[in-house]
Amino acid sequence: MSQNHPRNPVNNCPSATFLRISPHKQQAILDAAITEFAAYGYHQASINRLVNNLGIAKGSIFQYFGSKQGLFEHVFAQAKEIVSEHLRFTREHTRDKDFFARLSTIVTSGLAFVREHPGVYRMYMHVLRDEHLPGRAAYLFEVRAASRAYLTGLVDQGLSNNELDPKLSREWAVFFLDALLDRFFQAMSESDQEETLQDIPPGPDQEHIQALIRFIRKGLGQWGSHMSALPPANLTYSCPKAGKKRN
Amino acid sequence: MSQNHPRNPVNNCPSATFLRISPHKQQAILDAAITEFAAYGYHQASINRLVNNLGIAKGSIFQYFGSKQGLFEHVFAQAKEIVSEHLRFTREHTRDKDFFARLSTIVTSGLAFVREHPGVYRMYMHVLRDEHLPGRAAYLFEVRAASRAYLTGLVDQGLSNNELDPKLSREWAVFFLDALLDRFFQAMSESDQEETLQDIPPGPDQEHIQALIRFIRKGLGQWGSHMSALPPANLTYSCPKAGKKRN
DNA sequence: GCATCTGATGACCACCTGGTCATCAGATGC
DNA sequence: GCATCTGATGACCAGGTGGTCATCAGATGC
């Protein structure tokens, strides 16, 4: 399953020719491609710019990957492998911890990942956001299936250990976690460069992570005076499990 | 300040000619432009497609707005006006409520806005996400200044009324709110069409909003057993107010 | 030294883009 | 009916795009 030779997502992609050239050059091409797609997204990415940066002929790219989309598919498949590997590693190293300790470790290593593989992270962001990416549905399904499965497993553990409030459904918990982690990584990975999207106060990472975890655990509300102001019990917050279902 | 004739963001844009044609045609052009930019973002938006949809000549657009960017600036300025109007209205109608009731109203009316003006909302999303939008810094500053001022005011009120946990700094509270509201609107505005980004469980809006508010107030954690497991008080979660400052 | 095979090459293609401008159609004034 | 003015028009332009392919350079086999 984790063979070294990459699978070919479309008919003959990458071509046998690509697999025969030196691994060093292979990796250089893939790295440059991931950087290009990460910086510009699919449509604005330019094959001309890519081959100029690499110092190779344009024809070579098409000999290797057949088309721009073929190149993207292969590069994305490799990025997916890197992400999967990271998730697998993190999951195995946090199996025994309780929910919030586990979450803290996940965020810490996720942050390290985002900074170590900014290209992979940015490609993922583009897949999530670019509505006109050809074949988007398939990519989106893969990305979301992985992240949702991951977070759902985490939440289920927290629920069955009575660490989480059972009144919130799994789906909602996953949604909130996803939203917060997404923006958190985004803000933390951008804070190095310019203050663009979010201005999180400065400070060491661990302090930021603690603030995040604390919010996820306890929310914004006061613990003292307003606990009596809770709404009556007949107002349910969980969602009905009945409803539209994919069929 | 709220005169009817639009300001001209760049030198002669929109041109006097545009202001002289029938208001109905003016609005048709602006509507089509906002739809085009909302659907495709700045770079993928096509003037050719726009004029074909409108049934007018390409030259007219350039006679009116000088350039693609001039068109975008004017359209964005109009969108900004619509958003500002909505925020102003909402603020005035929630002034007296307490924090969470106010937040609930804000989310409700925000949701209505997103559904009533999907083009405006999507244009905002593109401005936030497209890193290569020409003149992005200025747009981003406007958008974020408005949303941050709005949320900061809200949070400050909650803090001074002792409704919010004072251990979390304003900046963090604003960050969390922004992240959650952003994703919430995104998920709710997409749920109509396909299940793309998030699958919030089905149900009436008010139930969704209640679940969101409840999470913002109380987080995911259990209120019972784990309250004693709070970390020691010497671990501070607020950020040091000293630090790098724009100068 | 010849033949063969293979990967690299970049001129070239059709197509699309934002943008220009000479020309046109129609209204207005007299 | 003529002159003038004004907004509308779309052929046209330069430049960029993804993609093709005849040709070439170099290694290999014998």
mmCIF file of all heavy atoms in Angstrom, chain A residues 39 122 129 131-132 144 148 165 178 182-183 195 197-199 214 216-217 220-221 246, chain B residues 39 122 129 131-132 144 148 165 178 182-183 195 197-199 214 216-217 220-221 246:
data_model
loop_
_atom_site.group_PDB
_atom_site.id
_atom_site.type_symbol
_atom_site.label_atom_id
_atom_site.label_comp_id
_atom_site.label_asym_id
_atom_site.label_seq_id
_atom_site.Cartn_x
_atom_site.Cartn_y
_atom_site.Cartn_z
ATOM 1 N N ALA A 39 1.382 28.647 -4.777
ATOM 2 C CA ALA A 39 1.447 30.105 -4.812
ATOM 3 C C ALA A 39 0.308 30.709 -5.619
ATOM 4 O O ALA A 39 -0.180 31.792 -5.292
ATOM 5 C CB ALA A 39 2.782 30.553 -5.394
ATOM 6 N N ARG A 122 -0.727 24.971 1.539
ATOM 7 C CA ARG A 122 -1.375 25.958 0.674
ATOM 8 C C ARG A 122 -2.107 25.289 -0.486
ATOM 9 O O ARG A 122 -3.156 25.768 -0.929
ATOM 10 C CB ARG A 122 -0.350 26.954 0.155
ATOM 11 C CG ARG A 122 0.152 27.908 1.240
ATOM 12 C CD ARG A 122 1.387 28.643 0.796
ATOM 13 N NE ARG A 122 1.138 29.524 -0.316
ATOM 14 C CZ ARG A 122 0.801 30.808 -0.199
ATOM 15 N NH1 ARG A 122 0.680 31.325 0.998
ATOM 16 N NH2 ARG A 122 0.589 31.545 -1.247
ATOM 17 N N ARG A 129 -10.855 25.930 -1.595
ATOM 18 C CA ARG A 129 -11.481 27.213 -1.902
ATOM 19 C C ARG A 129 -11.813 27.416 -3.380
ATOM 20 O O ARG A 129 -12.767 28.103 -3.700
ATOM 21 C CB ARG A 129 -10.559 28.352 -1.459
ATOM 22 C CG ARG A 129 -10.139 28.248 -0.003
ATOM 23 C CD ARG A 129 -9.679 29.572 0.516
ATOM 24 N NE ARG A 129 -9.072 29.498 1.827
ATOM 25 C CZ ARG A 129 -9.672 28.978 2.898
ATOM 26 N NH1 ARG A 129 -10.892 28.479 2.790
ATOM 27 N NH2 ARG A 129 -9.055 28.958 4.063
ATOM 28 N N GLU A 131 -13.447 27.001 -6.500
ATOM 29 C CA GLU A 131 -14.649 26.286 -6.935
ATOM 30 C C GLU A 131 -14.551 25.827 -8.370
ATOM 31 O O GLU A 131 -15.348 25.008 -8.812
ATOM 32 C CB GLU A 131 -15.867 27.207 -6.803
ATOM 33 C CG GLU A 131 -15.823 28.051 -5.561
ATOM 34 C CD GLU A 131 -16.721 29.268 -5.694
ATOM 35 O OE1 GLU A 131 -17.924 29.072 -5.774
ATOM 36 O OE2 GLU A 131 -16.190 30.409 -5.694
ATOM 37 N N HIS A 132 -13.601 26.369 -9.116
ATOM 38 C CA HIS A 132 -13.529 26.028 -10.530
ATOM 39 C C HIS A 132 -12.387 25.075 -10.834
ATOM 40 O O HIS A 132 -12.060 24.859 -12.004
ATOM 41 C CB HIS A 132 -13.400 27.301 -11.363
ATOM 42 C CG HIS A 132 -14.564 28.229 -11.215
ATOM 43 N ND1 HIS A 132 -15.732 28.041 -11.906
ATOM 44 C CD2 HIS A 132 -14.762 29.315 -10.444
ATOM 45 C CE1 HIS A 132 -16.594 28.990 -11.569
ATOM 46 N NE2 HIS A 132 -16.027 29.783 -10.687
ATOM 47 N N ARG A 144 -11.817 16.176 2.608
ATOM 48 C CA ARG A 144 -12.770 16.295 3.695
ATOM 49 C C ARG A 144 -12.999 14.961 4.379
ATOM 50 O O ARG A 144 -13.198 14.897 5.588
ATOM 51 C CB ARG A 144 -14.089 16.864 3.181
ATOM 52 C CG ARG A 144 -13.923 18.266 2.624
ATOM 53 C CD ARG A 144 -15.085 19.129 3.026
ATOM 54 N NE ARG A 144 -15.336 19.016 4.437
ATOM 55 C CZ ARG A 144 -16.495 18.655 4.965
ATOM 56 N NH1 ARG A 144 -17.504 18.398 4.186
ATOM 57 N NH2 ARG A 144 -16.635 18.568 6.257
ATOM 58 N N ARG A 148 -12.413 14.851 8.272
ATOM 59 C CA ARG A 148 -13.605 14.581 9.066
ATOM 60 C C ARG A 148 -13.451 13.280 9.842
ATOM 61 O O ARG A 148 -13.806 13.202 11.021
ATOM 62 C CB ARG A 148 -14.837 14.529 8.174
ATOM 63 C CG ARG A 148 -16.125 14.602 8.969
ATOM 64 C CD ARG A 148 -17.301 14.740 8.051
ATOM 65 N NE ARG A 148 -17.278 13.726 6.993
ATOM 66 C CZ ARG A 148 -18.203 13.623 6.061
ATOM 67 N NH1 ARG A 148 -19.204 14.464 6.061
ATOM 68 N NH2 ARG A 148 -18.136 12.690 5.147
ATOM 69 N N ASP A 165 -19.178 17.676 26.377
ATOM 70 C CA ASP A 165 -20.578 17.890 26.675
ATOM 71 C C ASP A 165 -21.438 17.054 25.726
ATOM 72 O O ASP A 165 -21.432 17.300 24.512
ATOM 73 C CB ASP A 165 -20.888 19.372 26.504
ATOM 74 C CG ASP A 165 -22.326 19.700 26.847
ATOM 75 O OD1 ASP A 165 -23.122 18.752 26.979
ATOM 76 O OD2 ASP A 165 -22.629 20.878 26.993
ATOM 77 N N ASP A 178 -13.107 21.953 13.342
ATOM 78 C CA ASP A 178 -12.572 22.168 12.004
ATOM 79 C C ASP A 178 -12.420 23.656 11.721
ATOM 80 O O ASP A 178 -11.376 24.124 11.259
ATOM 81 C CB ASP A 178 -13.501 21.511 10.977
ATOM 82 C CG ASP A 178 -12.812 21.312 9.643
ATOM 83 O OD1 ASP A 178 -11.573 21.220 9.626
ATOM 84 O OD2 ASP A 178 -13.520 21.264 8.621
ATOM 85 N N ASP A 182 -8.734 25.302 11.395
ATOM 86 C CA ASP A 182 -8.432 25.850 10.078
ATOM 87 C C ASP A 182 -7.928 27.278 10.196
ATOM 88 O O ASP A 182 -6.838 27.623 9.741
ATOM 89 C CB ASP A 182 -9.706 25.789 9.217
ATOM 90 C CG ASP A 182 -9.490 26.366 7.842
ATOM 91 O OD1 ASP A 182 -8.331 26.629 7.486
ATOM 92 O OD2 ASP A 182 -10.484 26.552 7.116
ATOM 93 N N ARG A 183 -8.707 28.120 10.829
ATOM 94 C CA ARG A 183 -8.319 29.517 10.958
ATOM 95 C C ARG A 183 -7.069 29.692 11.799
ATOM 96 O O ARG A 183 -6.255 30.582 11.558
ATOM 97 C CB ARG A 183 -9.454 30.315 11.589
ATOM 98 C CG ARG A 183 -10.372 30.867 10.568
ATOM 99 C CD ARG A 183 -9.691 31.904 9.701
ATOM 100 N NE ARG A 183 -10.061 33.254 10.017
ATOM 101 C CZ ARG A 183 -11.201 33.804 9.646
ATOM 102 N NH1 ARG A 183 -12.044 33.152 8.921
ATOM 103 N NH2 ARG A 183 -11.470 35.046 9.995
ATOM 104 N N GLU A 195 1.036 40.867 8.224
ATOM 105 C CA GLU A 195 -0.218 40.773 8.951
ATOM 106 C C GLU A 195 -1.355 40.904 7.968
ATOM 107 O O GLU A 195 -1.768 42.001 7.614
ATOM 108 C CB GLU A 195 -0.277 41.898 9.988
ATOM 109 C CG GLU A 195 -1.661 42.104 10.588
ATOM 110 C CD GLU A 195 -1.649 43.322 11.501
ATOM 111 O OE1 GLU A 195 -0.660 44.047 11.474
ATOM 112 O OE2 GLU A 195 -2.616 43.512 12.210
ATOM 113 N N LEU A 197 -4.350 38.239 7.284
ATOM 114 C CA LEU A 197 -5.716 37.804 7.525
ATOM 115 C C LEU A 197 -6.159 38.027 8.964
ATOM 116 O O LEU A 197 -7.231 38.526 9.234
ATOM 117 C CB LEU A 197 -5.847 36.310 7.185
ATOM 118 C CG LEU A 197 -6.786 35.985 6.055
ATOM 119 C CD1 LEU A 197 -6.822 34.519 5.780
ATOM 120 C CD2 LEU A 197 -8.180 36.497 6.329
ATOM 121 N N GLN A 198 -5.333 37.662 9.875
ATOM 122 C CA GLN A 198 -5.724 37.728 11.272
ATOM 123 C C GLN A 198 -4.556 38.258 12.070
ATOM 124 O O GLN A 198 -3.410 37.938 11.783
ATOM 125 C CB GLN A 198 -6.103 36.340 11.790
ATOM 126 C CG GLN A 198 -7.392 35.812 11.224
ATOM 127 C CD GLN A 198 -8.562 36.710 11.543
ATOM 128 O OE1 GLN A 198 -8.554 37.414 12.558
ATOM 129 N NE2 GLN A 198 -9.563 36.714 10.686
ATOM 130 N N ASP A 199 -4.829 39.056 13.060
ATOM 131 C CA ASP A 199 -3.734 39.480 13.919
ATOM 132 C C ASP A 199 -3.896 38.882 15.300
ATOM 133 O O ASP A 199 -4.508 39.464 16.184
ATOM 134 C CB ASP A 199 -3.648 40.985 13.984
ATOM 135 C CG ASP A 199 -5.003 41.632 14.049
ATOM 136 O OD1 ASP A 199 -6.007 40.884 14.135
ATOM 137 O OD2 ASP A 199 -5.078 42.832 14.035
ATOM 138 N N ARG A 214 -8.141 26.345 25.502
ATOM 139 C CA ARG A 214 -8.987 26.839 26.573
ATOM 140 C C ARG A 214 -10.347 27.286 26.036
ATOM 141 O O ARG A 214 -11.394 27.005 26.618
ATOM 142 C CB ARG A 214 -8.317 28.015 27.273
ATOM 143 C CG ARG A 214 -9.110 28.523 28.464
ATOM 144 C CD ARG A 214 -8.716 29.956 28.798
ATOM 145 N NE ARG A 214 -9.869 30.696 29.261
ATOM 146 C CZ ARG A 214 -10.274 30.691 30.526
ATOM 147 N NH1 ARG A 214 -9.599 30.015 31.416
ATOM 148 N NH2 ARG A 214 -11.359 31.359 30.882
ATOM 149 N N ILE A 216 -11.784 26.253 23.262
ATOM 150 C CA ILE A 216 -12.543 25.094 22.802
ATOM 151 C C ILE A 216 -13.181 24.377 23.993
ATOM 152 O O ILE A 216 -14.299 23.866 23.906
ATOM 153 C CB ILE A 216 -11.629 24.137 22.011
ATOM 154 C CG1 ILE A 216 -11.207 24.781 20.685
ATOM 155 C CG2 ILE A 216 -12.317 22.799 21.759
ATOM 156 C CD1 ILE A 216 -10.201 23.982 19.893
ATOM 157 N N ARG A 217 -12.480 24.380 25.103
ATOM 158 C CA ARG A 217 -13.002 23.685 26.274
ATOM 159 C C ARG A 217 -14.113 24.460 26.952
ATOM 160 O O ARG A 217 -15.140 23.898 27.315
ATOM 161 C CB ARG A 217 -11.858 23.474 27.268
ATOM 162 C CG ARG A 217 -12.240 22.687 28.496
ATOM 163 C CD ARG A 217 -11.091 22.655 29.478
ATOM 164 N NE ARG A 217 -10.749 21.325 29.918
ATOM 165 C CZ ARG A 217 -9.513 20.935 30.206
ATOM 166 N NH1 ARG A 217 -8.514 21.785 30.058
ATOM 167 N NH2 ARG A 217 -9.283 19.708 30.624
ATOM 168 N N LEU A 220 -16.477 31.328 25.584
ATOM 169 C CA LEU A 220 -16.193 32.707 25.978
ATOM 170 C C LEU A 220 -16.866 33.089 27.284
ATOM 171 O O LEU A 220 -16.520 34.087 27.892
ATOM 172 C CB LEU A 220 -16.702 33.673 24.887
ATOM 173 C CG LEU A 220 -15.967 33.711 23.546
ATOM 174 C CD1 LEU A 220 -16.607 34.778 22.655
ATOM 175 C CD2 LEU A 220 -14.500 34.012 23.743
ATOM 176 N N GLY A 221 -17.866 32.339 27.680
ATOM 177 C CA GLY A 221 -18.737 32.770 28.763
ATOM 178 C C GLY A 221 -18.082 32.733 30.139
ATOM 179 O O GLY A 221 -17.106 32.013 30.357
ATOM 180 N N ARG A 246 -27.572 11.039 2.536
ATOM 181 C CA ARG A 246 -27.083 10.663 1.199
ATOM 182 C C ARG A 246 -27.515 9.232 0.870
ATOM 183 O O ARG A 246 -27.375 8.335 1.688
ATOM 184 C CB ARG A 246 -25.559 10.725 1.145
ATOM 185 C CG ARG A 246 -24.998 12.087 1.351
ATOM 186 C CD ARG A 246 -24.124 12.518 0.173
ATOM 187 N NE ARG A 246 -24.122 13.979 0.095
ATOM 188 C CZ ARG A 246 -24.801 14.634 -0.817
ATOM 189 N NH1 ARG A 246 -25.493 14.014 -1.731
ATOM 190 N NH2 ARG A 246 -24.768 15.927 -0.844
ATOM 191 N N ALA B 39 -18.683 34.950 -8.879
ATOM 192 C CA ALA B 39 -18.623 33.557 -9.327
ATOM 193 C C ALA B 39 -17.201 33.124 -9.637
ATOM 194 O O ALA B 39 -16.839 31.963 -9.420
ATOM 195 C CB ALA B 39 -19.508 33.379 -10.563
ATOM 196 N N ARG B 122 -19.995 36.664 -1.604
ATOM 197 C CA ARG B 122 -18.953 35.907 -2.294
ATOM 198 C C ARG B 122 -17.815 36.816 -2.758
ATOM 199 O O ARG B 122 -16.650 36.409 -2.764
ATOM 200 C CB ARG B 122 -19.559 35.162 -3.487
ATOM 201 C CG ARG B 122 -20.432 33.994 -3.049
ATOM 202 C CD ARG B 122 -21.272 33.483 -4.206
ATOM 203 N NE ARG B 122 -20.465 32.900 -5.245
ATOM 204 C CZ ARG B 122 -20.164 31.608 -5.329
ATOM 205 N NH1 ARG B 122 -20.617 30.784 -4.408
ATOM 206 N NH2 ARG B 122 -19.437 31.146 -6.309
ATOM 207 N N ARG B 129 -9.528 35.942 0.190
ATOM 208 C CA ARG B 129 -8.742 34.748 -0.127
ATOM 209 C C ARG B 129 -7.769 34.923 -1.281
ATOM 210 O O ARG B 129 -6.729 34.279 -1.311
ATOM 211 C CB ARG B 129 -9.684 33.590 -0.462
ATOM 212 C CG ARG B 129 -10.741 33.326 0.591
ATOM 213 C CD ARG B 129 -11.269 31.929 0.521
ATOM 214 N NE ARG B 129 -12.412 31.713 1.390
ATOM 215 C CZ ARG B 129 -12.427 31.895 2.687
ATOM 216 N NH1 ARG B 129 -11.332 32.334 3.303
ATOM 217 N NH2 ARG B 129 -13.507 31.650 3.406
ATOM 218 N N GLU B 131 -4.904 36.035 -3.055
ATOM 219 C CA GLU B 131 -3.679 36.757 -2.683
ATOM 220 C C GLU B 131 -3.142 37.592 -3.818
ATOM 221 O O GLU B 131 -2.293 38.453 -3.609
ATOM 222 C CB GLU B 131 -2.598 35.762 -2.253
ATOM 223 C CG GLU B 131 -3.151 34.607 -1.467
ATOM 224 C CD GLU B 131 -2.215 33.410 -1.489
ATOM 225 O OE1 GLU B 131 -1.121 33.547 -0.944
ATOM 226 O OE2 GLU B 131 -2.597 32.350 -2.042
ATOM 227 N N HIS B 132 -3.598 37.351 -5.018
ATOM 228 C CA HIS B 132 -3.042 38.057 -6.165
ATOM 229 C C HIS B 132 -3.976 39.137 -6.694
ATOM 230 O O HIS B 132 -3.737 39.675 -7.774
ATOM 231 C CB HIS B 132 -2.700 37.060 -7.278
ATOM 232 C CG HIS B 132 -1.680 36.061 -6.871
ATOM 233 N ND1 HIS B 132 -0.336 36.340 -6.855
ATOM 234 C CD2 HIS B 132 -1.789 34.784 -6.424
ATOM 235 C CE1 HIS B 132 0.332 35.285 -6.435
ATOM 236 N NE2 HIS B 132 -0.530 34.321 -6.167
ATOM 237 N N ARG B 144 -11.314 44.118 6.783
ATOM 238 C CA ARG B 144 -10.983 43.648 8.107
ATOM 239 C C ARG B 144 -11.169 44.732 9.155
ATOM 240 O O ARG B 144 -11.564 44.449 10.280
ATOM 241 C CB ARG B 144 -9.548 43.133 8.126
ATOM 242 C CG ARG B 144 -9.350 41.953 7.198
ATOM 243 C CD ARG B 144 -8.436 40.947 7.820
ATOM 244 N NE ARG B 144 -8.804 40.655 9.169
ATOM 245 C CZ ARG B 144 -8.002 40.806 10.214
ATOM 246 N NH1 ARG B 144 -6.787 41.224 10.056
ATOM 247 N NH2 ARG B 144 -8.434 40.516 11.417
ATOM 248 N N ARG B 148 -13.469 43.813 12.197
ATOM 249 C CA ARG B 148 -12.806 43.763 13.490
ATOM 250 C C ARG B 148 -13.368 44.817 14.442
ATOM 251 O O ARG B 148 -13.598 44.551 15.612
ATOM 252 C CB ARG B 148 -11.302 43.977 13.318
ATOM 253 C CG ARG B 148 -10.535 43.600 14.547
ATOM 254 C CD ARG B 148 -9.059 43.616 14.274
ATOM 255 N NE ARG B 148 -8.655 44.883 13.662
ATOM 256 C CZ ARG B 148 -7.405 45.183 13.349
ATOM 257 N NH1 ARG B 148 -6.457 44.292 13.565
ATOM 258 N NH2 ARG B 148 -7.101 46.348 12.816
ATOM 259 N N ASP B 165 -15.573 35.720 29.851
ATOM 260 C CA ASP B 165 -14.441 35.346 30.686
ATOM 261 C C ASP B 165 -13.301 36.350 30.498
ATOM 262 O O ASP B 165 -12.746 36.462 29.403
ATOM 263 C CB ASP B 165 -13.982 33.944 30.277
ATOM 264 C CG ASP B 165 -12.857 33.450 31.148
ATOM 265 O OD1 ASP B 165 -12.282 34.262 31.894
ATOM 266 O OD2 ASP B 165 -12.571 32.248 31.080
ATOM 267 N N ASP B 178 -14.664 35.563 14.940
ATOM 268 C CA ASP B 178 -14.520 35.749 13.494
ATOM 269 C C ASP B 178 -14.419 34.405 12.784
ATOM 270 O O ASP B 178 -15.097 34.152 11.783
ATOM 271 C CB ASP B 178 -13.272 36.601 13.228
ATOM 272 C CG ASP B 178 -13.284 37.187 11.827
ATOM 273 O OD1 ASP B 178 -14.375 37.342 11.275
ATOM 274 O OD2 ASP B 178 -12.194 37.465 11.292
ATOM 275 N N ASP B 182 -17.434 33.176 10.375
ATOM 276 C CA ASP B 182 -17.061 33.019 8.972
ATOM 277 C C ASP B 182 -17.466 31.646 8.457
ATOM 278 O O ASP B 182 -18.201 31.513 7.470
ATOM 279 C CB ASP B 182 -15.547 33.233 8.846
ATOM 280 C CG ASP B 182 -15.073 33.058 7.421
ATOM 281 O OD1 ASP B 182 -15.921 32.953 6.527
ATOM 282 O OD2 ASP B 182 -13.850 33.027 7.208
ATOM 283 N N ARG B 183 -17.026 30.616 9.151
ATOM 284 C CA ARG B 183 -17.328 29.262 8.695
ATOM 285 C C ARG B 183 -18.801 28.937 8.776
ATOM 286 O O ARG B 183 -19.350 28.203 7.949
ATOM 287 C CB ARG B 183 -16.542 28.252 9.533
ATOM 288 C CG ARG B 183 -15.215 27.924 8.925
ATOM 289 C CD ARG B 183 -15.397 27.186 7.601
ATOM 290 N NE ARG B 183 -15.086 25.792 7.682
ATOM 291 C CZ ARG B 183 -13.878 25.300 7.739
ATOM 292 N NH1 ARG B 183 -12.836 26.103 7.655
ATOM 293 N NH2 ARG B 183 -13.669 24.021 7.854
ATOM 294 N N GLU B 195 -23.438 19.622 -0.924
ATOM 295 C CA GLU B 195 -22.650 19.433 0.287
ATOM 296 C C GLU B 195 -21.172 19.516 -0.076
ATOM 297 O O GLU B 195 -20.553 18.553 -0.497
ATOM 298 C CB GLU B 195 -22.950 18.055 0.896
ATOM 299 C CG GLU B 195 -21.989 17.637 1.983
ATOM 300 C CD GLU B 195 -22.306 16.231 2.454
ATOM 301 O OE1 GLU B 195 -23.156 15.594 1.820
ATOM 302 O OE2 GLU B 195 -21.720 15.790 3.425
ATOM 303 N N LEU B 197 -18.415 22.113 1.448
ATOM 304 C CA LEU B 197 -17.345 22.388 2.406
ATOM 305 C C LEU B 197 -17.625 21.770 3.775
ATOM 306 O O LEU B 197 -16.761 21.175 4.388
ATOM 307 C CB LEU B 197 -17.180 23.901 2.559
ATOM 308 C CG LEU B 197 -15.850 24.448 2.095
ATOM 309 C CD1 LEU B 197 -15.804 25.943 2.249
ATOM 310 C CD2 LEU B 197 -14.701 23.814 2.832
ATOM 311 N N GLN B 198 -18.815 21.931 4.247
ATOM 312 C CA GLN B 198 -19.129 21.467 5.592
ATOM 313 C C GLN B 198 -20.497 20.824 5.568
ATOM 314 O O GLN B 198 -21.382 21.279 4.860
ATOM 315 C CB GLN B 198 -19.143 22.648 6.570
ATOM 316 C CG GLN B 198 -17.778 23.241 6.809
ATOM 317 C CD GLN B 198 -16.832 22.214 7.410
ATOM 318 O OE1 GLN B 198 -17.257 21.280 8.078
ATOM 319 N NE2 GLN B 198 -15.542 22.378 7.150
ATOM 320 N N ASP B 199 -20.655 19.791 6.332
ATOM 321 C CA ASP B 199 -21.988 19.234 6.438
ATOM 322 C C ASP B 199 -22.530 19.441 7.840
ATOM 323 O O ASP B 199 -22.334 18.618 8.716
ATOM 324 C CB ASP B 199 -22.023 17.765 6.049
ATOM 325 C CG ASP B 199 -20.808 17.050 6.541
ATOM 326 O OD1 ASP B 199 -20.016 17.669 7.268
ATOM 327 O OD2 ASP B 199 -20.645 15.890 6.237
ATOM 328 N N ARG B 214 -24.345 28.400 21.758
ATOM 329 C CA ARG B 214 -24.055 27.582 22.924
ATOM 330 C C ARG B 214 -22.584 27.198 22.960
ATOM 331 O O ARG B 214 -21.945 27.219 24.009
ATOM 332 C CB ARG B 214 -24.910 26.309 22.893
ATOM 333 C CG ARG B 214 -24.725 25.448 24.104
ATOM 334 C CD ARG B 214 -25.143 24.007 23.817
ATOM 335 N NE ARG B 214 -24.296 23.094 24.539
ATOM 336 C CZ ARG B 214 -24.545 22.707 25.771
ATOM 337 N NH1 ARG B 214 -25.605 23.137 26.399
ATOM 338 N NH2 ARG B 214 -23.713 21.887 26.380
ATOM 339 N N ILE B 216 -20.106 28.851 21.553
ATOM 340 C CA ILE B 216 -19.306 30.047 21.830
ATOM 341 C C ILE B 216 -19.335 30.361 23.325
ATOM 342 O O ILE B 216 -18.360 30.792 23.908
ATOM 343 C CB ILE B 216 -19.831 31.230 21.003
ATOM 344 C CG1 ILE B 216 -19.526 31.000 19.522
ATOM 345 C CG2 ILE B 216 -19.202 32.538 21.464
ATOM 346 C CD1 ILE B 216 -20.128 32.030 18.596
ATOM 347 N N ARG B 217 -20.469 30.091 23.942
ATOM 348 C CA ARG B 217 -20.590 30.420 25.352
ATOM 349 C C ARG B 217 -19.868 29.409 26.229
ATOM 350 O O ARG B 217 -19.171 29.774 27.171
ATOM 351 C CB ARG B 217 -22.070 30.443 25.720
ATOM 352 C CG ARG B 217 -22.364 30.780 27.155
ATOM 353 C CD ARG B 217 -23.857 30.634 27.429
ATOM 354 N NE ARG B 217 -24.443 31.820 28.028
ATOM 355 C CZ ARG B 217 -25.694 32.220 27.828
ATOM 356 N NH1 ARG B 217 -26.459 31.520 26.997
ATOM 357 N NH2 ARG B 217 -26.157 33.283 28.423
ATOM 358 N N LEU B 220 -16.703 23.028 24.322
ATOM 359 C CA LEU B 220 -17.036 21.616 24.159
ATOM 360 C C LEU B 220 -17.020 20.849 25.475
ATOM 361 O O LEU B 220 -17.571 19.760 25.572
ATOM 362 C CB LEU B 220 -16.032 20.950 23.210
ATOM 363 C CG LEU B 220 -16.068 21.301 21.736
ATOM 364 C CD1 LEU B 220 -15.025 20.488 20.987
ATOM 365 C CD2 LEU B 220 -17.443 21.039 21.146
ATOM 366 N N GLY B 221 -16.355 21.411 26.467
ATOM 367 C CA GLY B 221 -16.063 20.629 27.670
ATOM 368 C C GLY B 221 -17.270 20.358 28.550
ATOM 369 O O GLY B 221 -18.282 21.055 28.474
ATOM 370 N N ARG B 246 2.919 47.788 15.129
ATOM 371 C CA ARG B 246 3.117 48.494 13.856
ATOM 372 C C ARG B 246 3.599 49.908 14.125
ATOM 373 O O ARG B 246 3.044 50.617 14.947
ATOM 374 C CB ARG B 246 1.806 48.556 13.069
ATOM 375 C CG ARG B 246 1.290 47.234 12.616
ATOM 376 C CD ARG B 246 1.179 47.160 11.088
ATOM 377 N NE ARG B 246 1.276 45.770 10.665
ATOM 378 C CZ ARG B 246 2.339 45.305 10.066
ATOM 379 N NH1 ARG B 246 3.369 46.077 9.805
ATOM 380 N NH2 ARG B 246 2.392 44.051 9.716
#
